[in-house]
Amino acid sequence: MRALHVVQSGAVALYTLLAAKAVSASGVDSGFVNPDVVYRPKFRYWLPDASVPADVVQEDIARIAEAGGGGIELLPFYLYGLPTAQGMNATPPTDWDVYGFGTPAFSDLFQAALNGSKESKIRMDFAVGANQGQGVPAVPGTPGLAVQLLLGSTSVHAGERYSSTVPPPAELSSVVQSGLTFMHPLEDFGTPNLTSVIAYQVLNGNTIGGSKIVALDPLSFVDLSAKVKDGLLDWTAPLGNSPWRVFSFWVKHTNQRSCTGGRNPTTVIGNGSWIVDHFDAMGAQLITDFWDQHILSDEQTLTFLQEVGQYAWEDSMEMLSSLYWTPSLLTRFEQDRGYSGLPCLPALFKPQNNWNAIVPSYNEMYTLGNQKDSACNADYRRTLNAGYQDYMAHFSQWTNRIGIQYSNQPAYNLPLEMLGDIPLSDAPECESLGFSDNVDAYRQFSGPAHISNRNVVSNEMGAVNKPAYMLTIPELLYSIKRAWSGGVNMVVLHGYTYSGNYPNTTWPGYTTFGFRFTEMWNQIQPAWIHMKDYLDYISRNQFVLQQGRPQIDLALYLYETPWSAADLLHSNNITAAGYTHDYVAPDNLFSPQVTVRAKVLAPDGPSYRALVFASPKFNISTFNLVREDVAARVVEFAQKGLPVVFVGGLPQVTSNTQAGQIVDDGWRKIRNLPSVQFISSLADLPGALSKAGVMPDVLPSCTTGTLRVVKRSRPEDDVDYVFLYNDQIVSTSCQISIQDHGTRTPHLLNAWTGEKKMIGSFERRSAVITVSLQFAPNETSILSLEKSGSSGPTNLTMLGSSSTSRRYSIANLTRWDLSIEDFHAPRRRSQVETAITWHNFSNIALGPWSAISPALAKVGGIGRYSTSFTVPNVPRIQGKLSLGPIIHTARVYIGGRRLPPIDPVNPVINISSYIGPSRTYKLIVEVTTPLFNRIKTDANQTKIAGSTAGELQPLYASTPYQEYGLMGPVVVIWSIST
């Protein structure tokens, strides 16, 4: 970020110039320079299994701390649970009967990791189970393990008598049964239990997209359960012109593992883990009882956990079912929804109720008509979600009892109400992969956390579907900045892999997900020598983004189930007009702290100044729906003066006729309230908000595009922070207007160096402060508004309106010496120790390594470029060093002194304090590369647990070698201070 000097005549005064005066780090931002571990990024730590040496694990933890990490998220990986579908050798590389999750060996290693975290003074989170954390060792069939609802059916002609066995469960889709190519299969053992038998008259049938759709007459429902005796049904279909369909429903355990067991297991623990029922507290209790009995029963382990443990954590749910179910679901459905769910059952077997809405469970689906289908599915999902909330609540209670907190990736991928579930987690977590770096999707996640005062919004960051060892630091930072812009304020980097030796595994070591996803951050990576620069940058931003409470202009209503990561605001009218927004769901509006005071929603939290229903603009199945309890709540808000805007009309009801009447009664009350407006499109929203007196809290006015804005307010000491991000591929100059009803002074915080500078010149007009900044593409900046300690500007270093320096000359540094450390496997490849071959070159031009020598196309490692320059013999000489594009990481040394960290999107460094007139200095630029080129070259010799990278990741063969090195041009821009 660079200060932009702008002078305008007339009423508009001098805009922002940076003062030369630096503010002491011991001021109100004492934690900004060197943030505490609670603000520092964590690493998901992939533990292969409990056979690995404890001292190596502890050394890994120490390296993370030394590099500036704040903790680990311990994940017992077990080769992703070793599902056969992932194409790896299905035999565990060590004896998981001895070294599996929950064994004594695992408990010892868990304690060692806690002790290592304590010694390194960082935090430790842990997955509640092996692999994703969805399961636990148990005897198959144990109550609390996952169950599913199976469907059987047969046709009966009108007037025909059916006297035979109840139709058995139909054959499940082979895609679902086999585990969707990356999960464990649903193992076919155990006896299903018949739940009910019903019948419907068939109206018609047709085929859509390869699936047969059978339309049923919703008024013809018949419950035949009482007619079943000893597995036989005796029933005569009514007379008529249309056939009937008899349906049977069966409950059976899914028998899906979350982790493979040992080679020849002799114990329940050695047999691996089975997925638990996520829709009843009993499933959660099965997991917590296991921890209490087998891992935390050791007093020393529990003591360590209470000292350094932060979160017990569960990953995004990867589990399959014919239909997600729990034994009490029908009973709860009737109790909560007020009618029997039995007639709904045929209409529930749809792709939207499967994992990630990928495929239907059966090759035939059924409809009761759009209105009935919609009501049935909404009420099924709402009932299922209530059970899921019981599941989450148990974990929250358990973690509170043992002295830590609970975090998870809630609801998404399943037909649940994600936005309503987020507040049940102490630190709800999303992910860059599943959210596709989508800022609007992140706001859908962070809004419920904001309104429920959950301060930490976590993110599993940096998993990209491309070959391992290919991700660059600028790519990682791009994803992080977009997540921050959407409300995330803690990243858990994906990930740090165990760095020691492992059976049938070669250098560069244990590589997760079969080389299919990034990234393996540890000391094997060349960039690790620079990692602290980037972790400190992340930490300082997260320090700011966790201060006080968020301040958001608008709350947009969203009721979507199942949820999917989509940009709901394709039109950028709201952002372009300067408004920030969150999304909130029905459950969020009923939290005790969600009130309206002084026309503001959640005034002790995000302080939304308007509630917007924009649903008719979006083609999403449930986005334009409300629950019956929402209308009355919105009426209450509007009666207290909260501006409420409906775009395109009033939302519909989610459920049955009675609920629809409740909603209609509420909407009738709202139509004539003075705080309510109706507009036809989102394009009219800024005008409606202005009419209601709702103006953006922070308004960037830029020469190109706009900025993404996050504001945090710390009312106890009257400090506001504004995070700004130029999410564009072009530079822009912006005038940033910030609401300020006090007499505070703006400051600029540099997250790369930890410096804080007071802004010496700015415009204050009425209750608005305006500063002006210039941004490179993808650059971030942080402003703060703080009390200056004086009513006047006498304590500020004010800069005049004229330029303080003039251009003198430019020195283009064209010839360099280069020394490359070529990272590769040792002669004995099974030793995970990097061997280095040196390549030295003299008097070369800058460019990709492959242009220096074709042999370098296969190389990855560290390059050290050196040259010399002479400072002009001119008084008051100043210099800026411009490095050109940074492919991965870089550090700079002048005369043996290391320069401050370099922002890869704006690699320009002020070197004035490192030089003197007429002196000659040695300049060293140290760059690193990913290891992709080396792994691509050796893909057929690089192994994980006996499988080669070339077999597991075909993109190593098809992806071209990458261009690495210092590309240039590197220039020094000389100027003279005037």
PDB file of all heavy atoms in Angstrom, residues 705-728:
ATOM      1  N   GLY A 705     -13.097   0.286  -9.951  1.00  0.00           N
ATOM      2  CA  GLY A 705     -13.742  -0.661  -9.056  1.00  0.00           C
ATOM      3  C   GLY A 705     -13.954  -0.106  -7.672  1.00  0.00           C
ATOM      4  O   GLY A 705     -14.131   1.100  -7.467  1.00  0.00           O
ATOM      5  N   THR A 706     -13.923  -0.990  -6.686  1.00  0.00           N
ATOM      6  CA  THR A 706     -14.076  -0.576  -5.294  1.00  0.00           C
ATOM      7  C   THR A 706     -13.235  -1.502  -4.430  1.00  0.00           C
ATOM      8  O   THR A 706     -12.529  -2.377  -4.940  1.00  0.00           O
ATOM      9  CB  THR A 706     -15.548  -0.601  -4.858  1.00  0.00           C
ATOM     10  OG1 THR A 706     -15.676  -0.003  -3.559  1.00  0.00           O
ATOM     11  CG2 THR A 706     -16.093  -2.019  -4.826  1.00  0.00           C
ATOM     12  N   LEU A 707     -13.281  -1.292  -3.141  1.00  0.00           N
ATOM     13  CA  LEU A 707     -12.521  -2.102  -2.200  1.00  0.00           C
ATOM     14  C   LEU A 707     -13.458  -2.993  -1.400  1.00  0.00           C
ATOM     15  O   LEU A 707     -14.616  -2.643  -1.173  1.00  0.00           O
ATOM     16  CB  LEU A 707     -11.752  -1.212  -1.220  1.00  0.00           C
ATOM     17  CG  LEU A 707     -10.765  -0.210  -1.797  1.00  0.00           C
ATOM     18  CD1 LEU A 707     -10.179   0.637  -0.670  1.00  0.00           C
ATOM     19  CD2 LEU A 707      -9.652  -0.923  -2.563  1.00  0.00           C
ATOM     20  N   ARG A 708     -12.943  -4.124  -0.970  1.00  0.00           N
ATOM     21  CA  ARG A 708     -13.656  -4.924   0.022  1.00  0.00           C
ATOM     22  C   ARG A 708     -13.293  -4.375   1.396  1.00  0.00           C
ATOM     23  O   ARG A 708     -12.122  -4.096   1.669  1.00  0.00           O
ATOM     24  CB  ARG A 708     -13.288  -6.392  -0.107  1.00  0.00           C
ATOM     25  CG  ARG A 708     -13.704  -7.000  -1.451  1.00  0.00           C
ATOM     26  CD  ARG A 708     -13.699  -8.510  -1.390  1.00  0.00           C
ATOM     27  NE  ARG A 708     -13.973  -9.115  -2.681  1.00  0.00           N
ATOM     28  CZ  ARG A 708     -15.194  -9.332  -3.188  1.00  0.00           C
ATOM     29  NH1 ARG A 708     -16.253  -8.966  -2.499  1.00  0.00           N
ATOM     30  NH2 ARG A 708     -15.339  -9.904  -4.358  1.00  0.00           N
ATOM     31  N   VAL A 709     -14.305  -4.238   2.249  1.00  0.00           N
ATOM     32  CA  VAL A 709     -14.145  -3.534   3.521  1.00  0.00           C
ATOM     33  C   VAL A 709     -14.598  -4.430   4.671  1.00  0.00           C
ATOM     34  O   VAL A 709     -15.643  -5.075   4.594  1.00  0.00           O
ATOM     35  CB  VAL A 709     -14.977  -2.233   3.531  1.00  0.00           C
ATOM     36  CG1 VAL A 709     -14.902  -1.564   4.901  1.00  0.00           C
ATOM     37  CG2 VAL A 709     -14.512  -1.288   2.446  1.00  0.00           C
ATOM     38  N   VAL A 710     -13.804  -4.491   5.713  1.00  0.00           N
ATOM     39  CA  VAL A 710     -14.210  -5.105   6.978  1.00  0.00           C
ATOM     40  C   VAL A 710     -13.905  -4.109   8.081  1.00  0.00           C
ATOM     41  O   VAL A 710     -12.770  -3.647   8.213  1.00  0.00           O
ATOM     42  CB  VAL A 710     -13.460  -6.420   7.251  1.00  0.00           C
ATOM     43  CG1 VAL A 710     -13.891  -7.002   8.592  1.00  0.00           C
ATOM     44  CG2 VAL A 710     -13.698  -7.427   6.133  1.00  0.00           C
ATOM     45  N   LYS A 711     -14.927  -3.794   8.871  1.00  0.00           N
ATOM     46  CA  LYS A 711     -14.735  -2.846   9.973  1.00  0.00           C
ATOM     47  C   LYS A 711     -14.947  -3.563  11.302  1.00  0.00           C
ATOM     48  O   LYS A 711     -15.886  -4.335  11.468  1.00  0.00           O
ATOM     49  CB  LYS A 711     -15.703  -1.675   9.860  1.00  0.00           C
ATOM     50  CG  LYS A 711     -15.491  -0.620  10.957  1.00  0.00           C
ATOM     51  CD  LYS A 711     -16.482   0.528  10.860  1.00  0.00           C
ATOM     52  CE  LYS A 711     -16.268   1.517  12.006  1.00  0.00           C
ATOM     53  NZ  LYS A 711     -17.286   2.582  12.017  1.00  0.00           N
ATOM     54  N   ARG A 712     -14.051  -3.287  12.237  1.00  0.00           N
ATOM     55  CA  ARG A 712     -14.174  -3.794  13.603  1.00  0.00           C
ATOM     56  C   ARG A 712     -14.152  -2.610  14.555  1.00  0.00           C
ATOM     57  O   ARG A 712     -13.401  -1.650  14.358  1.00  0.00           O
ATOM     58  CB  ARG A 712     -13.016  -4.732  13.942  1.00  0.00           C
ATOM     59  CG  ARG A 712     -12.838  -5.902  13.025  1.00  0.00           C
ATOM     60  CD  ARG A 712     -13.831  -7.011  13.237  1.00  0.00           C
ATOM     61  NE  ARG A 712     -13.805  -7.586  14.559  1.00  0.00           N
ATOM     62  CZ  ARG A 712     -14.373  -8.754  14.869  1.00  0.00           C
ATOM     63  NH1 ARG A 712     -14.997  -9.462  13.915  1.00  0.00           N
ATOM     64  NH2 ARG A 712     -14.348  -9.227  16.094  1.00  0.00           N
ATOM     65  N   SER A 713     -14.959  -2.673  15.589  1.00  0.00           N
ATOM     66  CA  SER A 713     -15.063  -1.569  16.545  1.00  0.00           C
ATOM     67  C   SER A 713     -14.766  -2.072  17.946  1.00  0.00           C
ATOM     68  O   SER A 713     -15.278  -3.122  18.366  1.00  0.00           O
ATOM     69  CB  SER A 713     -16.479  -0.968  16.509  1.00  0.00           C
ATOM     70  OG  SER A 713     -16.591   0.100  17.410  1.00  0.00           O
ATOM     71  N   ARG A 714     -13.927  -1.334  18.647  1.00  0.00           N
ATOM     72  CA  ARG A 714     -13.577  -1.662  20.027  1.00  0.00           C
ATOM     73  C   ARG A 714     -14.073  -0.523  20.908  1.00  0.00           C
ATOM     74  O   ARG A 714     -13.333   0.413  21.222  1.00  0.00           O
ATOM     75  CB  ARG A 714     -12.065  -1.848  20.132  1.00  0.00           C
ATOM     76  CG  ARG A 714     -11.615  -2.761  21.256  1.00  0.00           C
ATOM     77  CD  ARG A 714     -10.172  -3.190  21.088  1.00  0.00           C
ATOM     78  NE  ARG A 714      -9.257  -2.064  21.176  1.00  0.00           N
ATOM     79  CZ  ARG A 714      -7.980  -2.114  20.812  1.00  0.00           C
ATOM     80  NH1 ARG A 714      -7.499  -3.227  20.312  1.00  0.00           N
ATOM     81  NH2 ARG A 714      -7.206  -1.068  20.941  1.00  0.00           N
ATOM     82  N   PRO A 715     -15.335  -0.565  21.311  1.00  0.00           N
ATOM     83  CA  PRO A 715     -15.927   0.597  21.985  1.00  0.00           C
ATOM     84  C   PRO A 715     -15.322   0.911  23.340  1.00  0.00           C
ATOM     85  O   PRO A 715     -15.390   2.055  23.794  1.00  0.00           O
ATOM     86  CB  PRO A 715     -17.409   0.198  22.117  1.00  0.00           C
ATOM     87  CG  PRO A 715     -17.432  -1.286  22.019  1.00  0.00           C
ATOM     88  CD  PRO A 715     -16.305  -1.661  21.129  1.00  0.00           C
ATOM     89  N   GLU A 716     -14.705  -0.079  24.002  1.00  0.00           N
ATOM     90  CA  GLU A 716     -14.190   0.186  25.345  1.00  0.00           C
ATOM     91  C   GLU A 716     -13.082   1.221  25.345  1.00  0.00           C
ATOM     92  O   GLU A 716     -12.895   1.929  26.344  1.00  0.00           O
ATOM     93  CB  GLU A 716     -13.716  -1.114  26.007  1.00  0.00           C
ATOM     94  CG  GLU A 716     -12.561  -1.821  25.316  1.00  0.00           C
ATOM     95  CD  GLU A 716     -13.021  -2.807  24.248  1.00  0.00           C
ATOM     96  OE1 GLU A 716     -14.182  -2.694  23.798  1.00  0.00           O
ATOM     97  OE2 GLU A 716     -12.213  -3.676  23.866  1.00  0.00           O
ATOM     98  N   ASP A 717     -12.311   1.323  24.242  1.00  0.00           N
ATOM     99  CA  ASP A 717     -11.301   2.386  24.175  1.00  0.00           C
ATOM    100  C   ASP A 717     -11.473   3.246  22.919  1.00  0.00           C
ATOM    101  O   ASP A 717     -10.549   3.947  22.518  1.00  0.00           O
ATOM    102  CB  ASP A 717      -9.881   1.833  24.259  1.00  0.00           C
ATOM    103  CG  ASP A 717      -9.616   0.724  23.249  1.00  0.00           C
ATOM    104  OD1 ASP A 717     -10.481   0.489  22.397  1.00  0.00           O
ATOM    105  OD2 ASP A 717      -8.552   0.099  23.334  1.00  0.00           O
ATOM    106  N   ASP A 718     -12.670   3.169  22.324  1.00  0.00           N
ATOM    107  CA  ASP A 718     -13.047   4.060  21.227  1.00  0.00           C
ATOM    108  C   ASP A 718     -12.077   3.956  20.050  1.00  0.00           C
ATOM    109  O   ASP A 718     -11.607   4.955  19.515  1.00  0.00           O
ATOM    110  CB  ASP A 718     -13.122   5.507  21.724  1.00  0.00           C
ATOM    111  CG  ASP A 718     -13.974   6.380  20.786  1.00  0.00           C
ATOM    112  OD1 ASP A 718     -14.768   5.805  20.003  1.00  0.00           O
ATOM    113  OD2 ASP A 718     -13.837   7.610  20.828  1.00  0.00           O
ATOM    114  N   VAL A 719     -11.790   2.707  19.637  1.00  0.00           N
ATOM    115  CA  VAL A 719     -10.916   2.461  18.501  1.00  0.00           C
ATOM    116  C   VAL A 719     -11.692   1.688  17.441  1.00  0.00           C
ATOM    117  O   VAL A 719     -12.398   0.723  17.751  1.00  0.00           O
ATOM    118  CB  VAL A 719      -9.664   1.657  18.910  1.00  0.00           C
ATOM    119  CG1 VAL A 719      -8.814   1.315  17.689  1.00  0.00           C
ATOM    120  CG2 VAL A 719      -8.843   2.437  19.925  1.00  0.00           C
ATOM    121  N   ASP A 720     -11.595   2.127  16.212  1.00  0.00           N
ATOM    122  CA  ASP A 720     -12.147   1.405  15.067  1.00  0.00           C
ATOM    123  C   ASP A 720     -11.009   0.970  14.157  1.00  0.00           C
ATOM    124  O   ASP A 720     -10.021   1.696  13.982  1.00  0.00           O
ATOM    125  CB  ASP A 720     -13.116   2.276  14.258  1.00  0.00           C
ATOM    126  CG  ASP A 720     -14.448   2.486  14.958  1.00  0.00           C
ATOM    127  OD1 ASP A 720     -14.717   1.778  15.951  1.00  0.00           O
ATOM    128  OD2 ASP A 720     -15.205   3.374  14.521  1.00  0.00           O
ATOM    129  N   TYR A 721     -11.167  -0.210  13.567  1.00  0.00           N
ATOM    130  CA  TYR A 721     -10.214  -0.709  12.581  1.00  0.00           C
ATOM    131  C   TYR A 721     -10.956  -0.928  11.264  1.00  0.00           C
ATOM    132  O   TYR A 721     -12.094  -1.411  11.254  1.00  0.00           O
ATOM    133  CB  TYR A 721      -9.597  -2.041  13.027  1.00  0.00           C
ATOM    134  CG  TYR A 721      -8.763  -1.963  14.270  1.00  0.00           C
ATOM    135  CD1 TYR A 721      -9.322  -2.203  15.514  1.00  0.00           C
ATOM    136  CD2 TYR A 721      -7.410  -1.659  14.208  1.00  0.00           C
ATOM    137  CE1 TYR A 721      -8.559  -2.143  16.670  1.00  0.00           C
ATOM    138  CE2 TYR A 721      -6.631  -1.596  15.344  1.00  0.00           C
ATOM    139  CZ  TYR A 721      -7.215  -1.835  16.576  1.00  0.00           C
ATOM    140  OH  TYR A 721      -6.451  -1.771  17.710  1.00  0.00           O
ATOM    141  N   VAL A 722     -10.282  -0.621  10.175  1.00  0.00           N
ATOM    142  CA  VAL A 722     -10.859  -0.829   8.855  1.00  0.00           C
ATOM    143  C   VAL A 722      -9.844  -1.595   8.007  1.00  0.00           C
ATOM    144  O   VAL A 722      -8.754  -1.092   7.714  1.00  0.00           O
ATOM    145  CB  VAL A 722     -11.225   0.499   8.170  1.00  0.00           C
ATOM    146  CG1 VAL A 722     -11.821   0.231   6.787  1.00  0.00           C
ATOM    147  CG2 VAL A 722     -12.214   1.295   9.029  1.00  0.00           C
ATOM    148  N   PHE A 723     -10.209  -2.815   7.655  1.00  0.00           N
ATOM    149  CA  PHE A 723      -9.389  -3.643   6.761  1.00  0.00           C
ATOM    150  C   PHE A 723      -9.871  -3.389   5.336  1.00  0.00           C
ATOM    151  O   PHE A 723     -11.083  -3.414   5.057  1.00  0.00           O
ATOM    152  CB  PHE A 723      -9.554  -5.115   7.138  1.00  0.00           C
ATOM    153  CG  PHE A 723      -8.985  -6.081   6.129  1.00  0.00           C
ATOM    154  CD1 PHE A 723      -7.655  -6.443   6.164  1.00  0.00           C
ATOM    155  CD2 PHE A 723      -9.797  -6.625   5.141  1.00  0.00           C
ATOM    156  CE1 PHE A 723      -7.132  -7.349   5.242  1.00  0.00           C
ATOM    157  CE2 PHE A 723      -9.291  -7.530   4.211  1.00  0.00           C
ATOM    158  CZ  PHE A 723      -7.956  -7.886   4.262  1.00  0.00           C
ATOM    159  N   LEU A 724      -8.938  -3.146   4.432  1.00  0.00           N
ATOM    160  CA  LEU A 724      -9.259  -2.800   3.053  1.00  0.00           C
ATOM    161  C   LEU A 724      -8.519  -3.736   2.113  1.00  0.00           C
ATOM    162  O   LEU A 724      -7.332  -4.012   2.314  1.00  0.00           O
ATOM    163  CB  LEU A 724      -8.859  -1.353   2.761  1.00  0.00           C
ATOM    164  CG  LEU A 724      -9.492  -0.291   3.664  1.00  0.00           C
ATOM    165  CD1 LEU A 724      -8.730   1.019   3.558  1.00  0.00           C
ATOM    166  CD2 LEU A 724     -10.970  -0.083   3.305  1.00  0.00           C
ATOM    167  N   TYR A 725      -9.219  -4.182   1.086  1.00  0.00           N
ATOM    168  CA  TYR A 725      -8.610  -5.127   0.137  1.00  0.00           C
ATOM    169  C   TYR A 725      -9.011  -4.761  -1.279  1.00  0.00           C
ATOM    170  O   TYR A 725     -10.197  -4.688  -1.609  1.00  0.00           O
ATOM    171  CB  TYR A 725      -9.064  -6.551   0.470  1.00  0.00           C
ATOM    172  CG  TYR A 725      -8.653  -7.600  -0.535  1.00  0.00           C
ATOM    173  CD1 TYR A 725      -7.374  -7.606  -1.109  1.00  0.00           C
ATOM    174  CD2 TYR A 725      -9.526  -8.611  -0.895  1.00  0.00           C
ATOM    175  CE1 TYR A 725      -7.004  -8.584  -2.022  1.00  0.00           C
ATOM    176  CE2 TYR A 725      -9.163  -9.594  -1.810  1.00  0.00           C
ATOM    177  CZ  TYR A 725      -7.908  -9.571  -2.369  1.00  0.00           C
ATOM    178  OH  TYR A 725      -7.537 -10.540  -3.277  1.00  0.00           O
ATOM    179  N   ASN A 726      -8.002  -4.548  -2.114  1.00  0.00           N
ATOM    180  CA  ASN A 726      -8.233  -4.281  -3.530  1.00  0.00           C
ATOM    181  C   ASN A 726      -8.298  -5.613  -4.272  1.00  0.00           C
ATOM    182  O   ASN A 726      -7.290  -6.131  -4.751  1.00  0.00           O
ATOM    183  CB  ASN A 726      -7.112  -3.406  -4.102  1.00  0.00           C
ATOM    184  CG  ASN A 726      -7.297  -3.156  -5.589  1.00  0.00           C
ATOM    185  OD1 ASN A 726      -8.420  -3.126  -6.100  1.00  0.00           O
ATOM    186  ND2 ASN A 726      -6.195  -2.988  -6.304  1.00  0.00           N
ATOM    187  N   ASP A 727      -9.480  -6.179  -4.353  1.00  0.00           N
ATOM    188  CA  ASP A 727      -9.692  -7.493  -4.957  1.00  0.00           C
ATOM    189  C   ASP A 727      -9.838  -7.343  -6.475  1.00  0.00           C
ATOM    190  O   ASP A 727     -10.870  -7.681  -7.057  1.00  0.00           O
ATOM    191  CB  ASP A 727     -10.934  -8.143  -4.346  1.00  0.00           C
ATOM    192  CG  ASP A 727     -11.080  -9.600  -4.734  1.00  0.00           C
ATOM    193  OD1 ASP A 727     -10.153 -10.146  -5.344  1.00  0.00           O
ATOM    194  OD2 ASP A 727     -12.133 -10.187  -4.433  1.00  0.00           O
ATOM    195  N   GLN A 728      -8.801  -6.818  -7.098  1.00  0.00           N
ATOM    196  CA  GLN A 728      -8.800  -6.576  -8.536  1.00  0.00           C
ATOM    197  C   GLN A 728      -7.424  -6.907  -9.088  1.00  0.00           C
ATOM    198  O   GLN A 728      -6.440  -6.989  -8.351  1.00  0.00           O
ATOM    199  CB  GLN A 728      -9.111  -5.108  -8.853  1.00  0.00           C
ATOM    200  CG  GLN A 728     -10.416  -4.589  -8.306  1.00  0.00           C
ATOM    201  CD  GLN A 728     -10.613  -3.131  -8.685  1.00  0.00           C
ATOM    202  OE1 GLN A 728     -11.240  -2.824  -9.678  1.00  0.00           O
ATOM    203  NE2 GLN A 728     -10.073  -2.219  -7.882  1.00  0.00           N
TER     204      GLN A 728
END
